[in-house]
Every structure is written in C-alpha cells, then in structure tokens.
Amino acid sequence: MNKLILILCLVFGTSLTIKAQEALNESANDSYALKVEKMLELSGASKNFEVAIETILELQKESYGSILSDEFFDEIEKEIKVVGFEKLVPEFIPLYKRHLTEEDLDGIITFYESDIGKKLNEKTPLIMQEAMHIGAKWGEEIGEVILAKIEGSNEMLFNKEIETDCSKFKNGTFKVTDEFSNIVNIVERKGNIQIEKGNGEPIKFEIIWLNNNRYTLKPLQPLENGMESFMLEVNIYEVIEKGYKFIAKSKGIYLKGEVKEHSKRI
C-alpha cells in the first residue's frame, strides 16, 4: 500500500520520502506554509489526487480484474482515502521550501487566480486521466520491448554450444534448482532414464542427449497436472564447479537453473 501512495504523490511531482519530523517542525501559522496550502488548493491538487486514485485503480482492474474482485479494489480505495490528501499536505511544505521561494509561491498563486489558471485547474483532472491511459499504453509497449529482449537473450543461451565435455553429467545423482521457485529436486541418471524426486512421488523421465550439451526430458508416466505430452528441451550453457547452468524450454516458455553433483542417492 505504501508503494501505491508513493506513486500517487509522484503524480504531483512530490515524494513521501520526507521525514515526518520535518513536517511537524513547520509552524501552523508560518506564512510560507499557508501559501503552499493556498497554492495546492487553487491548483486543484486534492481533486487531482482523487482522480489519480480512481484512474490507477481502474488501470489495475483492467490488468487484474479477472482474478481480483471489485470488493478488493473498493477496499484498497477506502484505505488510500483514509490517508487523505489533507494529511499529506504538511509533508509537502518542507519539500516546496527547499525548491521554491515565498516569492515563487506568490507568482504561482497569482497565476492560478487568473482566468487561464482557473481553466488549467478545471481541465487538469481530465488531462491527467487521459494522460495516464496514454502512459499506461506506452508502458505496455515498453514492457513488450523488454520482454522481447529478455526472450532474445534466452534464445541466445538456448542455442549456445559449449566445448567443455558434459559427458560426466549423463550418469550420477544431482541436485536441480530452478531460479523461478528455488525448489531443489534430486535426480538420478542412468543411461536414458532419469528419476526425479521432489516433495511428491518420484517421477521417471526418458532422457535423450542430442549432443554434448543438449538433451530432452519426457515423462514416462502421467503427471498430476495431466501433461502427458510434456517435453522439455534443455541446453547446458555454462559448466561450473561440480555442475552446470541450464536453460530449458517447453511450449515457448523458458526456465533457467543449476544442476550440481549430489553424493546421496535416491
């Protein structure tokens, strides 16, 4: 929840990283503090705060509405509004004081009291609401670019060939750890059979080595999730002390991890 409030404050070019004690040290009758409050009031910051809350939650509903209920988002909105814009204002004062003089505030207030300032105040929530949707769309595009680069990097590792002899990994007992879950499974390899033991019953796989550093795994028994046709292709892209780093691929999904020698047999 603190992260979400921080995002909301960044909309107004402010931050909640200010120490609370700084705000408490400001006098309630300080002319600078009063002018900050007036500036925020004239600029419609409180209304913009409310719009930001509604827009951010709306965007989150678009992303997670299929798995989270409306009641969930309603509860979040209530929690945010308990904080209240009024409670944040005292924390803004030391921030403005570090960057704007009292004369600067006088000029800003004069602007917001003008006709064009009033129009900007009136239109800002609408502009901000539309701008946030544009920003969200742009963010999705950036996310796709980043994902494409990550997949490109994974594809490079998946097709990497190494000269280090990997034959010592064809037989023996090993610990397998994937970087996604950090779950450690113990596997025993002998010939073209690999037996894997985790939290449940041991699973038997057929392991076929395609070349020096590449192999496939196919279960020889039905899996609990019904993935009988599951096939995993694994590429060893780096040999490390007593093991190797691998990247696996199945149905377009990549998984990376490590395999290390294990002295205890299954």
Side-chain angles (χ1 to χ4, degrees):
M1 187 58 61
N2 290 336
K3 291 183 179 179
L4 187 53
I5 295 174
L6 176 60
I7 293 172
L8 293 173
C9 290
L10 289 174
V11 172
F12 311 114
T14 60
S15 169
L16 287 181
T17 57
I18 304 168
K19 295 180 181 179
Q21 190 60 43
E22 289 186 67
L24 294 175
N25 291 337
E26 293 291 335
S27 169
N29 296 318
D30 181 17
S31 64
Y32 189 95
L34 293 174
K35 288 182 180 180
V36 169
E37 293 175 3
K38 184 174 182 179
M39 179 192 68
L40 293 174
E41 179 185 353
L42 291 172
S43 67
S46 178
K47 184 186 295 184
N48 294 341
F49 183 82
E50 297 290 332
V51 171
I53 292 174
E54 294 169 4
T55 304
I56 287 176
L57 291 180
E58 181 184 340
L59 293 171
Q60 293 301 310
K61 282 183 180 181
E62 291 178 5
S63 299
Y64 304 108
S66 60
I67 58 176
L68 298 173
S69 66
D70 289 341
E71 288 77 13
F72 174 85
F73 289 103
D74 290 342
E75 187 63 31
I76 288 181
E77 185 173 355
K78 289 178 183 177
E79 289 184 30
I80 295 173
K81 289 184 176 179
V82 164
V83 174
F85 186 74
E86 298 78 11
K87 293 183 179 180
L88 298 178
V89 171
E91 299 192 43
F92 296 159
I93 294 170
L95 174 61
Y96 281 109
K97 204 163 191 176
R98 286 198 293 271
H99 298 284
L100 296 174
T101 66
E102 193 162 344
E103 290 72 22
D104 293 331
L105 293 180
D106 289 335
I108 295 171
I109 290 171
T110 299
F111 168 75
Y112 277 114
E113 288 178 332
S114 68
D115 291 340
I116 190 66
K118 291 177 181 178
K119 183 174 183 179
L120 178 63
N121 180 16
E122 178 187 351
K123 298 297 183 182
T124 293
L126 299 175
I127 294 171
M128 194 172 75
Q129 189 173 38
E130 294 179 26
M132 289 181 71
H133 281 282
I134 293 172
K137 183 179 179 181
W138 179 75
E140 290 177 3
E141 293 174 357
I142 293 298
E144 290 174 0
V145 171
I146 293 173
L147 181 60
K149 288 187 177 294
I150 292 173
E151 290 180 345
S153 175
N154 287 338
E155 190 67 22
M156 181 182 70
L157 291 177
F158 187 70
N159 291 305
K160 183 178 179 181
E161 295 182 10
I162 61 175
E163 296 181 358
T164 309
D165 184 13
C166 296
S167 59
K168 61 182 177 180
F169 304 124
K170 293 184 177 181
N171 293 282
T173 304
F174 306 90
K175 292 190 301 182
V176 181
T177 307
D178 71 78
E179 66 175 19
F180 177 74
S181 65
N182 287 323
I183 295 176
V184 178
N185 289 330
I186 306 300
V187 303
E188 185 176 278
R189 293 174 181 163
K190 187 175 182 180
N192 67 338
I193 298 297
Q194 172 172 304
I195 300 175
E196 181 172 325
K197 185 175 182 181
N199 294 326
E201 293 295 320
I203 302 173
K204 184 180 289 187
F205 293 88
E206 178 185 37
I207 179 169
I208 302 296
W209 286 82
L210 305 176
N211 57 34
N212 172 57
N213 61 299
R214 197 178 190 87
Y215 57 89
T216 61
L217 289 171
K218 181 179 179 181
L220 295 176
Q221 62 197 76
L223 301 180
E224 291 182 0
N225 55 16
M227 297 175 62
E228 289 81 0
S229 61
F230 169 81
M231 172 76 78
L232 193 67
E233 191 164 352
V234 185
N235 197 63
I236 300 172
Y237 66 87
E238 182 182 348
V239 173
I240 57 178
E241 184 178 2
K242 295 184 179 181
Y244 60 85
K245 294 183 179 181
F246 71 85
I247 181 166
K249 182 179 181 181
S250 178
K251 297 183 179 179
I253 299 176
Y254 292 98
L255 176 69
K256 291 194 286 188
E258 287 186 357
V259 172
K260 288 192 173 183
E261 296 176 6
H262 186 62
S263 57
K264 185 179 180 181
R265 297 177 64 84
I266 295 178

